[in-house]
Amino acid sequence: MPEHELATTSLGKSVDIYHPEGVTAPAAPTVLLWHGSGPDERDVMEPLARAVAAQGVVVLVPDWRADAADGGQAELLDSLAFARDHAADGRLVVAGWSAGAPAALGVALRPETAGGRRPAAVVGIAAQYDRPARTTGTVLFDDLAAGRTADVPVPVRLVHGTQDTLEDVAYSRKFRAALVEHGWAAELTEIPADHAGSIMTEYDPAAHRCRESRDPAVREAGAMTARVIAETALGI
């Protein structure tokens, strides 16, 4: 059973840290997992984070606010700095769901935004990639077209639900093709899930937020996302 502790970034944002029992970073690879555009919704990522941590990975889930004046950039980059301090050996994967996904890809394409260092790998979950990334303010497709490629491109894994009506799976298919065209090692895993189901949750319209799902089919689909993240982290 993964253990849990709470920490705080330098900007005062809460960070949930999930790790296998008796194991902490940097003894295990570390994943920084960003939630979507809902303000301070790190709790939404808990089911997925626990599922990843159960496979031998330390997972950090910070709060951030897309409704901040800078779109959340400062808080996202601050949490990245926090994660790097925990992943002292450099085994850091940056992953994100929905609006968090292009934010994660942004720091790989534009490392100068984040101190000139790329993560070891990136995972994007259920996202649209033709909007400005919250970390860079630029569109990922534009960055690729402008030659924003790495000498040794970092691995990219994309996950998208085929039942997603909020962000169609075609967005990830198109982005993967663009990455490959520009020399990036990119894979797409399609799962039988909607937008919320890709992270083991379901949308609660009364609460206007996602909640953990108990539906076995949803949990199994989300478990596929967790496996992709864990395999990416353990493989670096």
Side-chain angles (χ1 to χ4, degrees):
M1 186 72 177
E3 297 179 346
H4 170 260
E5 60 184 283
L6 185 65
T8 306
T9 69
S10 67
L11 292 181
K13 305 303 292 186
S14 295
V15 183
D16 286 318
I17 304 177
Y18 303 92
H19 53 86
E21 187 174 356
V23 177
T24 59
T30 301
V31 172
L32 174 62
L33 181 59
W34 284 331
H35 63 72
S37 61
D40 293 340
E41 285 192 340
R42 74 183 194 282
D43 59 295
V44 170
M45 308 304 292
E46 179 177 353
L48 180 63
R50 287 191 178 278
V52 175
Q55 299 177 61
V57 179
V58 176
V59 184
L60 312 180
V61 187
D63 273 335
W64 66 280
R65 298 189 67 96
D67 58 357
D70 65 353
Q73 182 185 50
E75 292 171 349
L76 287 164
L77 295 179
D78 186 49
S79 70
L80 176 58
F82 177 92
R84 281 176 172 162
D85 288 341
H86 279 69
D89 63 354
R91 291 190 295 168
L92 176 65
V93 173
V94 181
W97 170 67
S98 197
L105 268 297
V107 298
L109 281 169
R110 286 184 167 267
E112 70 276 11
T113 306
R117 297 165 57 193
R118 288 185 170 90
V122 183
V123 180
I125 309 162
Q128 183 172 344
Y129 296 98
D130 57 2
R131 298 170 179 168
R134 300 282 178 166
T135 46
T136 64
T138 58
V139 177
L140 302 176
F141 284 101
D142 294 343
D143 291 336
L144 286 171
R148 306 291 304 188
T149 57
D151 293 334
V152 182
V154 302
V156 175
R157 295 292 300 273
L158 304 177
V159 183
H160 212 123
T162 55
Q163 301 164 19
D164 194 331
T165 57
L166 185 63
E167 305 284 3
D168 193 274
V169 66
Y171 290 124
S172 285
R173 292 170 181 167
K174 181 180 179 182
F175 186 55
R176 177 194 173 276
L179 285 165
V180 171
E181 180 184 351
H182 288 85
W184 289 69
E187 298 180 29
L188 168 61
T189 300
E190 299 185 14
I191 61 175
D194 63 11
H195 194 65
S198 62
I199 57 167
M200 292 186 176
T201 65
E202 55 192 35
Y203 184 68
D204 182 346
H208 302 292
R209 65 192 293 119
C210 293
R211 302 291 190 189
E212 182 173 5
S213 176
R214 297 300 179 184
D215 185 317
V218 173
R219 297 190 68 81
E220 177 54 32
M224 295 174 68
T225 303
R227 285 193 291 272
V228 168
I229 297 173
E231 288 170 3
T232 302
L234 293 168
I236 59 176

